[in-house]
Amino acid sequence: MTQPWQIRDLTFNSRLIIGTGKYPSHQVLREVIEASGVELVTVAVRRVDLDFPEENILNYIPTGCRLLPNTSGARTAEEAVRIARLARASGCGDLIKLEVVNDNKYLLPDNMETLRATEILVKEGFTVLPYVSPDLAIARRLAEAGAAAIMPLGAPIGSNRGLKTKELIRILIDEIPLPIIVDAGIGRPSEAAEAIELGVTAVMLNTAIATAGDPVKMALAFRHAVQAGHLAYLAGLGPVQETAAASSPLTGFLQ
Amino acid sequence: MEVLINGQPTAVAPGTKLLHFITAKGLEPKAIVVEYNGAVLAPEAFGATTFQPGDRIEILRFVGGG
């Protein structure tokens, strides 16, 4: 009933993408992935703790769920490129969620460094999904540089504050001929549904599920919310009116 | 002799191979990625790579992230 979507030659049925951080255990993560029905999950690249190596998180990500490595921790384009190359060396493919952040308080992306990294990574054959502040000019430049999608933030990472940038995201949907994936800020299933109703291609979130009272139940809630939002988008929302428009006949009872 | 592994000066016996170091730490070569003196090293090269004094090695893996 819902339509699949694509990033280049990759096809996805779920319009939900989730992050794998902050879960109480790897086992909960596995249950969350299964409940959410996602086909794409983000992971980060970090140094191994050689004294206390922890269990490999990949053992808890079901086969059939594709990895989307991020460049978190990068403060410059060069650092992001370095992380992307390492991620690709793991053999998980060319997808990279590009994030360049050098603001510690709000974790807002550095759009200019992100553009510079996109230009380098596209030339190296990566499929680049840049995380950016929702700005039309930068989105156009990223599209020209060969980005495969645009990932505008709804609110600061991990804030659960919702779709605060809605009007700017609406403009990106209208103007940019690439998948628009809201990344960061969404805290409630209703906000995920709202974003998809608006016409974004997919939503990406982590904290909203990982910090919920029951992460597995919340994953299921987001799964249904995203499906509902997409059905509403396909159906076309009814017109908004200033005054009442009766749903029952306006004639009096028994007339 | 000493090499720099994940930013830490680390004493290793001369002739130590990267693959031996990794497996001795209980790590699966497939589960990690290695940057050796600034360049990504393919897993197939782990067995043929012998530590030289002053080498800079980063041993990384995927972790949870958003």
Side-chain angles (χ1 to χ4, degrees):
Chain A
M1 200 183 286
T2 52
Q3 291 176 347
W5 62 285
Q6 291 185 305
I7 302 173
R8 298 275 159 79
D9 57 341
L10 301 172
T11 301
F12 302 97
N13 290 298
S14 171
R15 289 171 184 268
L16 181 62
I17 303 168
I18 64 168
T20 57
K22 300 187 194 172
Y23 288 93
S25 71
H26 285 352
Q27 183 55 37
V28 170
L29 169 63
R30 190 208 305 261
E31 291 173 32
V32 160
I33 292 173
E34 286 167 354
S36 66
V38 294
E39 299 156 300
L40 197 55
V41 295
T42 60
V43 287
V45 179
R46 289 293 183 276
R47 281 176 171 165
V48 174
D49 182 341
L50 293 167
D51 296 322
F52 304 99
E54 57 177 73
E55 207 177 346
N56 187 358
I57 194 171
L58 302 189
N59 294 340
Y60 292 83
I61 296 175
T63 51
C65 193
R66 184 174 284 274
L67 294 183
L68 173 56
N70 68 32
T71 64
S72 64
R75 300 175 70 87
T76 63
E78 284 71 25
E79 287 176 3
V81 169
R82 182 183 178 194
I83 296 167
R85 287 173 182 159
L86 284 161
R88 183 158 69 176
S90 73
C92 68
D94 296 323
L95 281 179
I96 192 78
K97 176 163 124 44
L98 174 63
E99 41 182 285
V100 184
V101 172
N102 42 43
D103 164 68
N104 287 334
K105 185 173 180 186
Y106 292 106
L107 297 179
L108 291 176
D110 183 326
N111 282 358
M112 295 311 293
E113 286 295 290
T114 304
L115 174 62
R116 221 156 59 72
T118 299
E119 289 167 346
I120 298 168
L121 291 170
V122 166
K123 286 189 182 120
E124 294 188 13
F126 283 92
T127 301
V128 184
L129 284 65
Y131 167 63
V132 286
S133 292
D135 174 84
L136 180 59
I138 201 76
R140 282 187 172 138
R141 287 177 188 271
L142 288 164
E144 284 166 15
I150 305 293
M151 301 186 81
L153 61 94
I157 292 172
S159 67
N160 284 347
R161 292 177 64 82
L163 204 58
K164 298 299 181 193
T165 59
K166 183 175 175 180
E167 292 307 317
L168 297 170
I169 288 173
R170 188 197 301 277
I171 293 169
L172 299 189
I173 295 167
D174 192 38
E175 292 292 319
I176 304 295
L178 291 174
I180 304 296
I181 302 169
V182 174
D183 174 15
I186 288 180
R188 299 165 182 244
S190 55
E191 292 157 358
E194 184 183 9
I196 301 277
E197 277 173 13
L198 189 67
V200 307
T201 303
V203 295
M204 150 82 211
L205 50 98
N206 186 341
T207 304
I209 294 177
T211 64
D214 181 339
V216 177
K217 200 168 280 178
M218 189 58 81
L220 192 58
F222 270 104
R223 178 185 198 159
H224 289 305
V226 166
Q227 285 175 344
H230 182 54
L231 282 172
Y233 173 76
L234 292 177
L237 298 172
V240 176
Q241 303 201 122
E242 288 295 318
T243 56
S247 299
S248 304
L250 275 178
T251 52
F253 178 55
L254 299 185
Q255 282 186 340
Chain B
M1 68 176 205
E2 203 170 79
V3 294
L4 200 62
I5 301 179
N6 286 2
Q8 296 295 319
T10 306
V12 294
T16 302
K17 288 191 186 304
L18 173 62
L19 182 62
H20 295 153
F21 180 86
I22 288 166
T23 50
K25 287 288 181 187
L27 297 167
E28 287 177 59
K30 278 185 183 171
I32 58 168
V33 286
V34 173
E35 190 185 61
Y36 207 96
N37 290 333
V40 176
L41 192 67
E44 304 82 58
F46 291 178
T49 301
T50 306
F51 289 148
Q52 303 297 324
D55 278 352
R56 289 170 293 113
I57 302 112
E58 291 286 346
I59 301 174
L60 305 114
R61 69 174 2 164
F62 285 131
V63 298

